[in-house]
């Protein structure tokens, strides 16, 4: 039965722990299915005979789907409610992610990867839309920090423990490893129905299409593109940059610290959420520091370049959390899903396309630094938007 959008009485503080655990676990599954692909890619490629482009698509295709699937997520939230949408999206994610482990050929592998990306894309706006239903207004910031901590921990867990810990337990089978990561998501989806709420009469049916007249839709989305293009872009071209500097042997250490910085960012935001979220100054500072860190990777070498990249990852992770936390704080609960979906549509389209265009420039010039120069140019272009954000809560229809 569809869950009509409704006003609710949030649970008392004693019931916040199970809600926090569910938010964290759902956050973990925003990234683990995507980030297990890079460590498993060589084994998948060897068995299925993938080209380099198709091997890279195991990671980039789901990222593209994060943009494409944001609108179906918003539509489902308007029709089913955020909790039902989140549970449905997790089931779709599990079907796609587990399906990769059962794929007999390349076409099936790509199709299941796209299905997995669609599920994750629908999960993204569902989580911020769910927060006002489960949490009191003064808990929204910490709720956002909790599920974003789960997401960034999922990045590190998926990339960090798949090969050394999980795959040996699965008899070194990449197929069994994918199933082992995927299937527990069904338990999380079922557990989403454990928190009980007092339901009052339904409010008006919410809209689901992004409100392009609301300046927050585009401005937050463009700033999300700043954070995502720098993080995914530098992650993608790190090896090329180090090889060009003659330090390719440092790649493993560089990627470890680069991804571990995202975990530190999420822990910092857990501590500082109530002070920083919903404020303009932390957004300006973290966006500026992210750009400075990216510039440092171009003009520094050795461990100094790695330290600069790690600093960028840290601040870009903090910026991501600050931006994703804005919709439930700034708009009414019925409009949270559509604002988040619009932000993700813009942000992940840019997080995919800006590094890709930069890569084309790098191929044309024969210099990997051109890819990073292009990403920095985009970041500098949209940075002034951070100064123009109106972070006052909207209580009515946004002005055009």
């Amino acid at each position: 039965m569809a869950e009509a959008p409704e006003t609710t009485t949030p649970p008392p503080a004693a019931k916040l722990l199970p809600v926090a655990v569910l938010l964290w676990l759902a956050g973990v599954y925003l990234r683990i299915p995507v980030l297990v692909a890079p460590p498993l890619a060589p084994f998948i490629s060897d068995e299925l005979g993938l080209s380099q482009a198709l091997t890279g698509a195991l990671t980039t295709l789901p990222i593209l789907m994060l943009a494409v699937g944001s609108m179906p997520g918003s539509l489902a939230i308007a029709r089913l409610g955020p909790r039902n949408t989140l549970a449905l999206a997790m089931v779709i994610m599990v079907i796609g992610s587990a399906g990769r482990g059962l794929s007999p050929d390349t076409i099936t592998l790509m199709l299941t990867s796209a299905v997995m990306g669609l599920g994750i894309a629908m999960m993204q706006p569902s989580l911020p839309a769910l927060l006002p239903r489960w949490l009191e207004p003064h808990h929204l910031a910490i709720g956002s920090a909790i599920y974003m901590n789960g997401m960034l921990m999922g990045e590190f867990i998926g990339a960090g423990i798949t090969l050394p810990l999980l795959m040996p337990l699965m008899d070194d089978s990449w197929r069994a490893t994918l199933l082992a990561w995927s299937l527990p998501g069904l338990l999380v989806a079922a557990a989403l129905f454990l928190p009980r709420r007092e339901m009052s009469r339904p409010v008006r049916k919410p809209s689901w299409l992004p409100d392009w007249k609301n300046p927050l839709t585009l401005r937050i989305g463009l700033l999300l593109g700043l954070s995502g293009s720098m993080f995914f872009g530098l992650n993608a071209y790190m090896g090329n940059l180090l090889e060009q500097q003659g330090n390719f042997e440092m790649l493993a250490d560089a990627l470890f610290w680069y991804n571990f910085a995202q975990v530190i960012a999420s822990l910092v935001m857990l501590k500082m959420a109530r002070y920083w979220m919903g404020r303009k100054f932390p957004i300006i500072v973290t966006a500026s520091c992210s750009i400075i860190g990216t510039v440092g990777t171009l003009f520094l070498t050795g461990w100094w370049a790695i330290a600069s990249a790690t600093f960028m990852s840290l601040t870009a992770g903090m910026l991501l959390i600050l931006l994703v936390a804005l919709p439930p704080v700034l708009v009414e609960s019925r409009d949270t899903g559509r604002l988040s979906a619009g932000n993700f549509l813009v942000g992940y389209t840019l997080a995919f396309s800006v590094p890709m265009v930069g890569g084309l420039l790098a191929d044309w010039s024969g210099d990997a630094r051109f890819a990073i120069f292009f990403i920095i140019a985009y970041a500098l272009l949209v940075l002034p938007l951070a100064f123009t954000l109106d972070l006052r809560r909207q209580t009515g229809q946004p002005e055009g």
Side-chain angles (χ1 to χ4, degrees):
M1 182 177 178
E3 176 193 350
E6 73 278 333
T7 57
T8 64
T9 301
K15 295 184 179 180
L16 286 179
L17 181 59
V19 168
V21 171
L22 286 175
L23 290 174
W24 190 85
L25 289 173
V28 167
Y29 271 97
L30 285 173
R31 282 297 179 270
I32 274 189
V34 178
L35 270 297
V36 298
L40 295 179
F43 305 96
I44 300 173
S45 178
D46 287 344
E47 182 172 332
L48 298 182
L50 303 183
S51 65
Q52 289 191 33
L54 288 175
T55 301
L58 292 174
T59 300
T60 57
L61 179 60
I63 292 173
L64 178 61
M65 292 300 296
L66 295 184
V68 174
S70 58
M71 288 300 95
S74 181
L75 175 61
I77 291 168
R79 298 294 184 264
L80 306 177
R83 178 166 61 173
N84 287 349
T85 299
L86 180 58
L88 173 64
M90 292 199 72
V91 171
I92 293 172
M93 176 273 297
V94 171
I95 291 173
S97 184
R100 292 180 302 170
L102 303 175
S103 298
D105 53 43
T106 302
I107 294 177
T108 307
L109 180 67
M110 293 299 134
L111 288 174
T112 51
S113 295
V115 170
M116 179 199 73
L118 174 64
I120 295 174
M122 293 175 64
M123 289 172 64
Q124 286 190 137
S126 303
L127 279 160
L130 185 60
L131 293 181
R133 269 78 167 183
W134 277 4
L135 299 174
E136 298 178 20
H138 60 278
H139 286 139
L140 292 177
I142 190 65
S144 297
I146 287 170
Y147 85 77
M148 291 298 292
N149 173 267
M151 188 188 85
L152 297 181
M153 287 291 292
E155 289 184 356
F156 184 73
I157 292 170
I161 75 171
T162 296
L163 291 184
L165 294 180
L166 186 58
M167 197 168 179
L169 295 176
M170 297 294 109
D171 199 25
D172 290 327
S173 168
W174 64 268
R175 295 180 181 275
T177 302
L178 284 173
L179 291 173
W181 273 129
S182 306
L183 295 179
L186 295 175
L187 299 178
V188 180
L192 292 172
F193 295 93
L194 293 178
R196 300 188 174 212
R197 305 164 296 158
E198 293 181 19
M199 300 171 61
S200 60
R201 64 182 181 83
V203 298
R204 69 170 177 83
K205 194 177 192 179
S207 301
W208 63 276
L209 289 172
D211 181 8
W212 299 113
K213 294 181 180 180
N214 185 346
L216 290 175
T217 302
L218 190 59
R219 290 177 185 177
I220 296 175
L222 291 171
L223 290 168
L224 278 172
L226 182 155
S227 171
S229 62
M230 286 194 293
F231 176 75
F232 289 116
L234 194 53
N235 209 351
Y237 301 117
M238 182 87 71
N240 302 83
L241 287 173
L242 290 176
E243 185 175 20
Q244 200 164 299
Q245 295 173 358
N247 295 315
F248 187 75
E249 71 282 355
M250 303 175 74
L251 179 61
D253 290 333
L255 290 176
F256 173 83
W257 291 111
Y258 186 81
N259 288 285
F260 185 68
Q262 296 271 296
V263 178
I264 302 302
S266 68
L267 295 176
V268 170
M269 292 309 299
L270 279 175
K271 177 67 175 177
M272 304 305 296
R274 58 179 173 171
Y275 305 109
W276 290 355
M277 288 188 180
R279 300 177 185 271
K280 187 186 301 186
F281 184 70
I283 294 174
I284 295 170
V285 171
T286 52
S288 301
C289 289
S290 298
I291 296 172
I292 292 170
T294 307
V295 170
T297 63
L298 296 178
F299 297 101
L300 301 173
T301 58
W303 280 107
W304 286 109
I306 293 173
S308 189
T310 302
F311 176 69
M312 187 282 286
S313 180
L314 172 71
T315 53
M318 294 164 63
L319 175 62
L320 173 66
I321 297 173
L322 289 167
L323 294 171
V324 171
L326 289 178
V329 174
L330 299 181
V331 299
E332 296 181 10
S333 60
R334 63 174 178 263
D335 293 321
T336 303
R338 70 190 298 218
L339 177 57
S340 295
N343 297 158
F344 289 129
L345 172 63
V346 175
Y348 279 105
T349 298
L350 291 165
F352 173 81
S353 58
V354 171
M356 182 182 68
V357 174
L360 293 175
L361 289 174
D363 289 340
W364 170 75
S365 65
D367 188 338
R369 292 176 298 178
F370 274 69
I372 309 303
F373 277 128
F374 184 77
I375 294 170
I376 292 171
Y378 167 77
L380 290 173
L381 184 65
V382 302
L383 178 62
L385 293 177
F387 294 84
T388 66
L389 286 173
D390 183 358
L391 301 186
R392 293 172 294 180
R393 181 166 177 83
Q394 301 177 1
T395 55
Q397 291 299 322
E399 296 180 359

